[in-house]
Amino acid sequence: MTIPAPHGPAADGVRRITVLSGGYGGAKFVQGLLALVRERPEPVEVTVVANTADDLWLHGLKVCPDLDTVMYTLGGGLDTDRGWGRREETWSVKQELEAYGVEPTWFGLGDRDVATHLVRTEMLEAGYPLSAVTEALCRRWQPGVRLLPMTDDRVETHIVVDDPDQPSGQRAVHFQEYWVRLRAEVPARAVVVVGLDKATPGPGVVDALLDADVVLVPPSNPVVSVGTVLGVPGVRDALRETGAPVVGLSPIIGGHHLRGMAEQLLTALDVEVSAAGVAEHYGARTAGGVLDGWLVDSTDADAVDRLRGAGIRCEAVPLLMTDVRATAAMAEAALGLAAR
Ligand code: GDP
Ligand code: CA
């Protein structure tokens, strides 16, 4: 494996890898990346810039699903069967709230998880920004990466769905309500990210992009995970400016997502639901977009020529994160493409 050599002001021998992440797909990818770089002789520092637009306030608690998924996954606390929340979880708090008839009842608020949200909320209310709170929570979990919220500002993704009871025939629901309560089973008509245009990048985010030796875009949701990170004013500019190659991996294989609702949301944005469609949506850095390179799954090899024609270095390799070894091989292929 070759990690592009250190460059610029940070040329101290440490290889710096920055990853833009959602929850499940991003965290799983970083797990493979860490397994790979731990075998390397040179010091490697991984920074994860995580989406916070899935965040919500629930029963007075601030819940940050993507930050927590990354933290729990890399810190060994995740329920790997469910793919979210704490392992060995119990649900007394949720049951008691339901017994009181308190809404919403659809969100999976586990007892162990509640402790994280209590600590977070208490610190936020004491005046600490989310970035400082995240750092404090990571002191327990030791995820092995620097975990940065994309912003300290409140940003919330809402999904517009049909609702015949409304005069307009539509209504916006919080992203979590669309995903968890509605199970993404109704068409998404539009995606509105409230507060995004006024948000500023969290502390360290822009520098993590400018000082990186390589920037990786994992197979996270291109609309509500990576799309929202890219939408924080200043992030796209930093990606265009950085001397680091930017390489992504497709979350779409054979025209379908693997878990989640990327298909529904890409359709709402009029983006072709395919590995090539997502890459073209991100765009080539040479044409004002953010990508230098893109990996598609072996079954999508026909996308390679199309993307090369669009100015994106492209290769087809297996992209199923079936286990840590397979995921590490994906990370290796991404770093290889970046080094070329
Ligand atoms: P979320 O915030 O928990 O929804 O997680 P992410 O946004 O980080 O990742 C969700 C994306 O991961 C979905 O769009 C999936 O298609 C993608 N995904 C899940 N498993 C795999 C996999 O094994 N391989 C690839 N290439 N993508 C995957
Ligand atoms: Ca998410």
Side-chain angles (χ1 to χ4, degrees):
M1 173 192 66
T2 343
I3 305 176
H7 70 272
D12 53 7
V14 179
R15 303 295 209 273
R16 290 181 171 79
I17 302 177
T18 299
V19 185
L20 311 182
S21 175
Y24 179 84
K28 236 179 151 181
F29 174 76
V30 173
Q31 208 172 31
L33 174 68
L34 288 180
L36 177 74
V37 300
R38 278 181 191 138
E39 294 166 2
R40 298 285 304 175
E42 72 268 55
V44 179
E45 193 181 277
V46 178
T47 300
V48 176
V49 176
N51 171 51
T52 58
D54 292 5
D55 296 7
L56 69 167
W57 284 89
L58 208 64
H59 308 297
L61 300 177
K62 174 77 165 177
V63 181
C64 301
D66 287 0
L67 282 172
D68 287 351
T69 297
V70 173
M71 186 173 79
Y72 292 158
T73 301
L74 303 179
L78 190 89
D79 183 310
T80 49
D81 293 333
R82 262 201 324 270
W84 57 270
R86 290 280 283 109
R87 68 183 159 77
E88 289 145 30
E89 187 59 283
T90 54
W91 304 93
S92 299
V93 170
K94 188 175 184 333
Q95 286 155 11
E96 288 294 304
L97 286 167
E98 276 174 27
Y100 282 112
V102 181
E103 294 288 335
T105 51
W106 44 262
F107 195 84
L109 205 56
D111 300 339
R112 290 180 159 223
D113 205 23
V114 162
T116 303
H117 310 321
L118 282 168
V119 174
R120 176 185 291 123
T121 307
E122 198 170 10
M123 286 189 72
L124 287 171
E125 278 172 1
Y128 290 98
L130 183 62
S131 48
V133 176
T134 304
E135 196 181 331
L137 294 170
C138 283
R139 248 171 257 145
R140 171 183 174 195
W141 290 104
Q142 298 289 319
V145 300
R146 196 160 59 112
L147 178 58
L148 306 179
M150 66 183 198
T151 179
D152 278 336
D153 301 322
R154 181 169 177 170
V155 174
E156 271 181 24
T157 300
H158 291 199
I159 308 292
V160 177
V161 297
D162 294 335
D163 182 352
D165 293 340
Q166 301 298 320
S168 66
Q170 294 189 324
R171 140 180 107 97
V173 297
H174 189 288
F175 167 75
Q176 294 296 342
E177 184 172 352
Y178 180 71
W179 172 224
V180 183
R181 187 176 75 81
L182 299 173
R183 297 169 195 277
E185 283 166 359
V186 298
R189 300 301 183 192
V191 179
V192 182
V193 191
V194 182
L196 190 62
D197 55 333
K198 299 272 182 327
T200 51
V205 168
V206 167
D207 286 346
L209 298 171
L210 295 179
D211 298 343
D213 297 309
V214 54
V215 177
L216 297 178
V217 181
S220 281
N221 188 303
V223 181
V224 291
S225 294
V226 178
T228 43
V229 178
L230 293 177
V232 177
V235 167
R236 239 176 243 280
D237 291 340
L239 280 173
R240 290 198 191 105
E241 248 175 74
T242 183
V246 182
V247 170
L249 300 92
S250 180
I252 302 292
I253 297 182
H256 298 287
H257 62 234
L258 285 130
R259 183 182 189 279
M261 66 338 272
E263 284 179 57
Q264 291 88 318
L265 301 185
L266 286 167
T267 303
L269 264 62
D270 249 336
V271 176
E272 179 190 302
V273 184
S274 72
V278 174
E280 286 172 358
H281 172 63
Y282 288 145
R285 213 142 69 113
T286 48
V290 298
L291 289 180
D292 295 304
W294 185 247
L295 292 178
V296 301
D297 185 71
S298 311
T299 57
D300 291 317
D302 56 344
V304 171
D305 283 342
R306 170 173 158 188
L307 290 176
R308 286 183 182 158
I312 298 172
R313 271 178 255 167
C314 186
E315 242 177 45
V317 297
L319 285 190
L320 279 178
M321 299 190 283
T322 41
D323 56 34
V324 175
R325 290 241 58 83
T327 312
M330 287 164 54
E332 186 162 21
L335 292 172
L337 197 63
R340 259 197 266 135

